[in-house]
Amino acid sequence: FVGLNIEDKVWDHSTFSANRERLFNEDLARAFFERVKLSAQWGRLASDEHFSVDGTLIEAWASHKSFRRKDDDSGTPPGRNPEVDFKGQERCNGTHASTTDVDARLFKKSAGDKSRLCHMGHILMENRNGLIVDVEITHANGTAEREAALAMLGRRGNRNKRATVGADKGYDSKAFIKGCRRLLVTPHVAAKDKHSAVDGRIKRHEGYKTSLKVRKRIEEAFGWIKTVGGLAKTKLIGQAKLAGQALLCFATYNLVRMGSLGGWWDAHHA
């Protein structure tokens, strides 16, 4: 910044707006994320054998009022914040869509949770130091977690080497376990109480209990990006921009974590 004055055009708000459009680009953000990951691998901070996977909901920048019938051509009610009464109406993603963010889906992860317009974020964590090695943003639906997990496992490095992946009960399905085996990955999945697809071949491994214990560390990354990273609710519209934001956020999380592991700084305040 040597030679720049505070009145120069480079500091104009329009310049920052243009750069923001370039910054929240999935391809550019993934390239930066991959560079950070390579630095961790070069420093032997990341494992290529043992992983954990999980997903979380990221609230969309859209209100329930924007979730309207797809065949509704009545237009927007007048006023800045009009009253909209949708009580008693059956609303689902098949018949309704958000007019603010078309990529958002009405979804909830558990029976006791409230439905909200959101996207779903997925991460693949290596188990040695809890670094994030892959990120995926998808529509929120019941099968997205398992499908995204298989996609990320398929992109992992050294795919000819045997690996393990720890996961919660939401991944306990025949399709996910078969998909992992095709990718030379042993699925250390927490078993459901009833109708579990996890058999004795999985539970007999010595590392099964270890994977189920270590996988809980993945919640630290989700907690960081939703508090420090500000991704509890995205302020960007569209899945493409959110993917870029999430990749940059998790790359920053890795840098903070790597700095703490390497003794470069005390990262407790970050």
Side-chain angles (χ1 to χ4, degrees):
F1 300 113
V2 177
L4 292 176
N5 296 318
I6 195 64
E7 301 296 333
D8 288 347
K9 187 174 177 57
V10 68
W11 305 117
D12 188 80
H13 67 87
S14 61
T15 303
F16 283 107
S17 297
N19 288 335
R20 183 177 60 183
E21 292 295 325
R22 301 188 191 102
L23 181 62
F24 292 121
N25 175 284
E26 184 176 0
D27 294 336
L28 178 62
R30 189 168 289 279
F32 177 69
F33 177 86
E34 291 294 330
R35 285 295 184 95
V36 174
K37 184 174 73 173
L38 285 173
S39 298
Q41 292 171 340
W42 178 79
R44 297 183 179 179
L45 297 175
S47 169
D48 62 351
E49 294 180 286
H50 306 293
F51 302 95
S52 295
V53 69
D54 203 358
T56 190
L57 296 180
I58 300 174
E59 193 170 348
W61 192 254
S63 68
H64 276 274
K65 291 182 179 180
S66 72
F67 196 62
R68 302 171 57 185
R69 290 192 64 86
K70 296 178 181 179
D71 56 359
D72 184 7
D73 56 357
S74 59
T76 304
R80 181 177 179 180
N81 191 19
E83 291 290 333
V84 178
D85 185 11
F86 45 79
K87 291 183 180 179
Q89 298 180 17
E90 185 176 343
R91 309 199 306 163
C92 65
N93 294 311
T95 58
H96 290 63
S98 172
T99 57
T100 302
D101 187 347
V102 296
D103 290 329
R105 297 291 184 270
L106 193 66
F107 191 73
K108 61 180 179 180
K109 286 195 75 173
S110 61
D113 195 11
K114 64 179 180 180
S115 296
R116 47 186 169 160
L117 287 169
C118 54
H119 306 273
M120 189 169 278
H122 317 267
I123 57 175
L124 185 68
M125 179 191 77
E126 59 82 32
N127 287 354
R128 180 180 297 167
N129 288 308
L131 296 172
I132 309 305
V133 295
D134 206 348
V135 180
E136 187 83 6
I137 299 294
T138 67
H139 296 305
N141 61 62
T143 61
E145 286 188 293
R146 297 187 291 272
E147 293 169 355
L150 291 175
M152 291 187 292
L153 288 169
R155 292 198 296 257
R156 78 186 194 281
N158 202 1
R159 283 177 290 178
N160 294 324
K161 187 177 183 180
R162 275 282 176 184
T164 67
V165 61
D168 60 31
K169 293 182 181 180
Y171 295 83
D172 185 359
S173 72
K174 292 181 179 180
F176 178 71
I177 290 176
K178 287 181 179 179
C180 287
R181 295 194 184 282
R182 285 196 298 269
L183 295 170
L184 299 181
V185 176
T186 303
H188 289 172
V189 179
K192 296 177 182 177
D193 296 331
K194 295 181 180 179
H195 309 296
S196 175
V198 181
D199 55 26
R201 290 183 299 169
I202 296 174
K203 294 181 179 180
R204 72 185 178 190
H205 290 279
E206 295 182 3
Y208 178 71
K209 291 183 179 179
T210 303
S211 291
L212 293 187
K213 182 178 180 179
V214 174
R215 71 170 180 81
K216 298 177 182 178
R217 189 186 294 176
I218 206 168
E219 298 298 338
E220 296 177 9
F222 284 141
W224 191 92
I225 64 129
K226 289 191 175 185
T227 53
V228 181
L231 264 180
K233 181 173 183 175
T234 180
K235 293 179 174 61
L236 301 176
I237 294 175
Q239 190 172 300
K241 289 183 179 180
L242 176 58
Q245 183 184 17
L247 283 161
L248 290 174
C249 195
F250 281 113
T252 305
Y253 172 82
N254 282 346
L255 288 171
V256 172
R257 180 78 179 133
M258 290 161 59
S260 179
L261 291 169
W264 308 332
W265 57 65
D266 181 4
H268 289 92
H269 65 284

